Amino acid sequence: MAGTPGFLFLSVFLCAVGQVSPYGAHWKPTWPAYRLPVVLPQSTLNLAKPHFGAKAKLEVSSSCGPQCHKGSPLPTYEEAKQYLSYETLYANGSRTETQVGIYVLRSGEGESSGKSRRKRQIYGYDSRFSIFGKDFLLNYPFSTSVKLSTGCTGTLVAEKHVLTAAHCIHDGKTYVKGTQKLRVGFLKPKFKDGGRGANDSSSAVPEKMKFQWIRVKRTHVPKGWIKGNANDIGMDYDYALLELKKPHKRKFMKIGVSPPAKQLPGGRIHFSGYDNDRPGNLVYRFCDVKDETYDLLYQQCDAQPGASGSGVYVRMWKRQQQKWERKIIGIFSGHQWVDMNGSPQDFNVAVRITPLKYAQICYWIKGNYLDCREG
């Protein structure tokens, strides 16, 4: 893992170049192969217990749009290590800060503007679909969407892990009220007559759906969000991982490195969330990506507060296994007013899972970088 930091970090960004199948008569949108960096903990420091005084924000707004972000220099190696360092909050209220190192393995080594505007997140005709019926809600991929007790949405990405937006549990300065007793809600069928329906379907007819809640054991939030305080840099790091106290026993969706927008099937993304204007409903939508930066996807998927934290996914061909596979490539963050040649335009924004973010989130899940070599 030797090498100078400057060369090392340059290599980290160069490794984002994937291998793409050429277009042809039988071309399929294929998951690119990436050479991934390694993000490893270096030291951990105990911190004072937080106050949990922040008010939950169900959306984040920023005035820095695509051109603003594209004009910003990429972080240096030292800055990237700072942004990818992270805080861990435990259920007992204790808190730690972990500093990280970033490495590139050789081949074969290891294995707002101040003006008040009405926030509009519905673009023309409302193209969202409410998902009804247990046959859909309890089946993949909709069953991977869960609700946070702070009001946001999350996505199941492992047996005990949920990916969501950082602002759902931390406002950039301190933790949101209720985070110490954070719970994750799973939609379950609610039966008449108190039956379970195991053998007697006539005595247990599904009437409605209800949430069954599981407590969160610990949370991870990148320091890029905390230090950024939801400003231009902060939105790039608006993601968090929750570890549940027990397995959820559902099929989950793996994370993946976000391909360039032009490589996405139809140039589209998909996500499902618990929008506040449709209480109790899981709402699905898909739309075209309008623009992108290294860290963000700009789109006009219809969404309302409550959908924040939803996993943005696509379905592409997995060459190694010769099958189609959905993967989470981003996290729906919030709303932006963007100055487009002097004319304000609004977008909804998703945080892209870059190679560095993939390496970090995967390590949080697996605890072993050798299990994080394929994005």
Side-chain angles (χ1 to χ4, degrees):
M1 295 186 182
T4 61
F7 173 79
L8 207 59
F9 191 62
L10 180 61
S11 299
V12 167
F13 281 98
L14 290 179
C15 75
V17 179
Q19 301 170 358
V20 185
S21 299
Y23 288 90
H26 303 289
W27 178 84
K28 299 175 182 176
T30 302
W31 286 109
Y34 292 92
R35 183 187 174 204
L36 294 172
V38 173
V39 177
L40 287 178
Q42 299 295 297
S43 62
T44 300
L45 175 69
N46 290 320
L47 301 177
K49 289 187 176 183
H51 296 292
F52 304 102
K55 183 179 179 181
K57 292 183 179 179
L58 300 186
E59 62 179 356
V60 174
S61 296
S62 172
S63 57
C64 183
Q67 297 309 313
C68 169
H69 274 269
K70 290 175 183 177
S72 301
L74 291 174
T76 65
Y77 174 71
E78 292 299 326
E79 287 173 337
K81 288 201 302 181
Q82 182 183 23
Y83 298 151
L84 291 173
S85 296
Y86 57 92
E87 276 193 14
T88 302
L89 176 69
Y90 297 87
N92 64 3
S94 63
R95 181 173 56 129
T96 60
E97 178 179 315
T98 302
Q99 302 296 321
V100 303
I102 301 173
Y103 307 93
V104 177
L105 298 185
R106 298 184 182 92
S107 179
E109 182 179 359
E111 273 297 84
S112 135
S113 66
K115 294 182 180 180
S116 176
R117 296 188 181 99
R118 181 175 62 88
K119 294 182 178 178
R120 178 175 63 88
Q121 291 181 271
I122 302 298
Y123 300 90
Y125 176 74
D126 189 348
S127 60
R128 296 173 298 164
F129 302 88
S130 292
I131 306 301
F132 295 107
K134 70 180 183 67
D135 290 339
F136 291 103
L137 288 167
L138 301 182
N139 285 335
Y140 187 85
F142 304 117
S143 58
T144 63
S145 295
V146 293
K147 186 175 180 66
L148 274 59
S149 55
T150 53
C152 288
T153 300
T155 307
L156 304 177
V157 292
E159 290 87 352
K160 295 174 65 176
H161 292 89
V162 175
L163 188 63
T164 189
H167 74 259
C168 296
I169 61 174
H170 196 292
D171 73 347
K173 296 180 180 179
T174 189
Y175 288 88
V176 168
K177 184 178 180 181
T179 302
Q180 186 175 356
K181 296 182 179 179
L182 186 64
R183 300 178 300 158
V184 171
F186 298 75
L187 272 180
K188 300 272 188 176
K190 184 177 181 181
F191 292 97
K192 292 180 179 180
D193 304 324
R196 290 285 180 180
N199 297 311
D200 186 2
S201 59
S202 63
S203 63
V205 179
E207 185 181 42
K208 293 182 179 179
M209 304 297 288
K210 64 176 182 178
F211 286 105
Q212 181 180 14
W213 300 88
I214 297 179
R215 286 285 302 273
V216 172
K217 179 181 178 180
R218 61 179 175 177
T219 67
H220 298 301
V221 177
K223 296 293 285 185
W225 169 256
I226 296 172
K227 294 181 181 297
N229 192 22
N231 60 15
D232 298 347
I233 291 177
M235 203 164 197
D236 295 349
Y237 296 88
D238 187 12
Y239 59 93
L241 188 76
L242 319 179
E243 182 180 346
L244 304 176
K245 286 194 170 183
K246 62 180 182 179
H248 52 74
K249 299 180 181 179
R250 285 192 179 187
K251 184 177 180 180
F252 56 85
M253 195 180 301
K254 295 179 181 178
I255 62 170
V257 175
S258 173
K262 63 182 179 181
Q263 294 180 19
L264 301 177
R268 291 175 177 171
I269 57 172
H270 309 249
F271 63 96
S272 301
Y274 293 97
D275 300 50
N276 280 3
D277 65 333
R278 300 189 186 183
N281 289 347
L282 180 64
V283 184
Y284 162 76
R285 74 227 75 195
F286 65 90
C287 67
D288 297 341
V289 174
K290 299 295 185 182
D291 205 344
E292 64 182 327
T293 65
Y294 185 79
D295 286 286
L296 301 174
L297 290 173
Y298 294 84
Q299 32 79 17
Q300 292 182 328
C301 282
D302 292 327
Q304 289 288 308
S308 293
S310 300
V312 172
Y313 65 89
V314 294
R315 179 177 176 266
M316 299 175 70
W317 182 252
K318 190 75 171 176
R319 186 183 293 109
Q320 296 90 328
Q321 283 79 33
Q322 291 291 295
K323 67 176 184 179
W324 293 97
E325 184 176 18
R326 292 179 179 88
K327 289 184 182 180
I328 301 292
I329 62 165
I331 304 94
F332 177 58
S333 177
H335 186 68
Q336 281 193 356
W337 282 98
V338 176
D339 186 358
M340 302 290 285
N341 301 318
S343 176
Q345 186 174 354
D346 51 345
F347 289 96
N348 282 328
V349 184
V351 178
R352 297 179 69 178
I353 298 181
T354 63
L356 280 171
K357 292 171 188 172
Y358 175 91
Q360 180 189 54
I361 296 168
C362 183
Y363 185 86
W364 286 344
I365 295 171
K366 304 285 189 179
N368 185 346
Y369 74 89
L370 293 176
D371 295 328
C372 301
R373 305 304 299 139
E374 179 187 341

